Amino acid sequence: MTAGAERSVVPASYGVTELDRLPRLGGLFAKGAAGSVTKRPKGAVRLPEVSYRVAGVDTSGEAAHLAAYQDLLGEPASDVLPAGFLHVLAFPLATAVMVRPDFPLPLLGMVHLRNVARVLRPVRLGEALEVRAWAQDVRGHRRGVQVDLVAEVLVGGELAYQGVSTYLAKGFTAPGAAAPGEPADDGTRPEWTAPLPTARWTLGGGTGRAYGAVSGDLNPIHTSALGAKAFGFPRAIAHGMYTAARALAEVGPALRGDRYEWTVEFFRPVLLPSTVDVAIRPAGDGLVYDGWRSGKGTRHLTGTVTPL
């Protein structure tokens, strides 16, 4: 997203598919699991040029859901929906795009790399929302291709939230070469030394199930040791967005303001149970946060929160 942009970024060439309501993640995951069997690398990836749109999403019945989210993540009680909750509301629509028959990448096994979200105006409980989602920008990565899933939330026709989730599909090929000045991601990262922690999270074995209950994301890698082992993990792992949203809550509304940009980059997953050290400190016009395995220095995530 372009800094300061406050308009929709849906590509002009994309058609629009109207849905009468936001879908449920449970059915989408079942559909995605079945479709993942047939989606294998075979030529360059081409995305469907379509955006999904749901108008008139009523948030007046979300009070209990919001309270459960705030309690789990450590957000203060408020009628303002934080960016992490807006991500939760819009995620099923983005998932619906990913389970389309013509979406070329398998839902199962996709690796969540990073997120960039911008809250452009406060969204309050009870407001009617329009939600949009689409996929764009397939590009190379040393292990396959990256793709962006974009979600937007509008209130009264005014853009209130934009979120871009970047995923990696291993073994696939991007169409054409990388754009000039934008080489394929080679996966290299600068050396990092853990700073002094400002917080410590003790995450129990049920953390994935708890966040799954408020987010709807009941992917078995987060909720079941057996499900996690099927994908090569020794035990269940925390949702990346749980850790990112908890860091956002640690920053808090007073420091992030009504309008803010929130970014996160994921490194190694958090195995459950686990203890995670967190550092939040000033950087430029905002704050930067890091999370790592307590006592080990294994970096899990880093990100920024910047008032706009």
Side-chain angles (χ1 to χ4, degrees):
M1 285 177 288
T2 302
E6 298 196 15
R7 57 185 178 81
S8 174
V9 294
V10 61
S13 62
Y14 279 31
V16 179
T17 295
E18 302 276 355
L19 304 182
D20 58 359
R21 63 177 65 87
L22 290 174
R24 294 185 178 275
L25 278 177
L28 293 174
F29 279 134
K31 184 177 179 180
S36 294
V37 175
T38 61
K39 293 180 179 181
R40 294 289 183 266
K42 46 185 177 183
V45 170
R46 303 287 178 182
L47 297 176
E49 294 191 350
V50 62
S51 66
Y52 280 8
R53 176 179 179 270
V54 181
V57 177
D58 184 7
T59 63
S60 60
E62 293 287 333
H65 185 194
L66 176 61
Y69 176 93
Q70 291 166 335
D71 182 63
L72 179 67
L73 276 300
E75 286 280 359
S78 169
D79 68 344
V80 176
L81 312 186
F85 191 79
L86 292 170
H87 171 86
V88 165
L89 288 182
F91 182 63
L93 198 62
T95 305
V97 174
M98 289 191 281
V99 302
R100 285 174 55 97
D102 59 351
F103 186 79
L105 306 173
L107 183 67
L108 295 186
M110 294 265 278
V111 180
H112 193 178
L113 298 179
R114 66 186 67 89
N115 260 63
V116 179
R118 292 167 63 86
V119 174
L120 303 171
R121 75 178 289 282
V123 180
R124 298 185 180 278
L125 189 68
E127 290 187 305
L129 312 180
E130 176 187 336
V131 183
R132 304 172 180 171
W134 65 93
Q136 65 180 34
D137 293 346
V138 172
R139 67 249 188 220
H141 185 280
R142 66 188 177 93
R143 300 175 68 186
V145 299
Q146 301 175 84
V147 63
D148 291 339
L149 272 294
V150 186
E152 294 183 340
V153 173
L154 296 86
V155 180
E158 178 185 358
L159 189 61
Y161 167 88
Q162 289 178 336
V164 179
S165 301
T166 302
Y167 295 93
L168 164 66
K170 298 177 182 178
F172 288 77
T173 303
E182 297 181 6
D185 185 349
D186 65 2
T188 60
R189 294 182 173 115
E191 292 186 11
W192 177 80
T193 301
L196 291 175
T198 58
R200 174 168 290 172
W201 303 339
T202 301
L203 307 183
T207 299
R209 292 187 293 275
Y211 184 73
V214 300
S215 68
D217 184 353
L218 296 172
N219 187 320
I221 66 172
H222 303 303
T223 62
S224 160
L226 288 176
K229 287 178 180 178
F231 287 89
F233 299 105
R235 55 188 189 271
I237 64 173
H239 296 75
M241 290 308 293
Y242 165 81
T243 59
R246 186 156 175 181
L248 180 67
E250 291 274 0
V251 170
L255 292 179
R256 67 193 186 219
D258 288 337
R259 293 164 43 90
Y260 55 94
E261 181 179 81
W262 167 44
T263 75
V264 61
E265 182 176 4
F266 299 109
F267 297 90
R268 293 180 181 270
V270 177
L271 297 174
L272 298 172
S274 187
T275 302
V276 177
D277 283 343
V278 179
I280 299 174
R281 55 208 186 280
D285 295 331
L287 300 109
V288 62
Y289 61 87
D290 288 285
W292 65 97
R293 185 180 176 189
S294 182
K296 298 293 184 180
T298 301
R299 199 180 190 189
H300 295 304
L301 73 160
T302 188
T304 60
V305 180
T306 307
L308 297 176

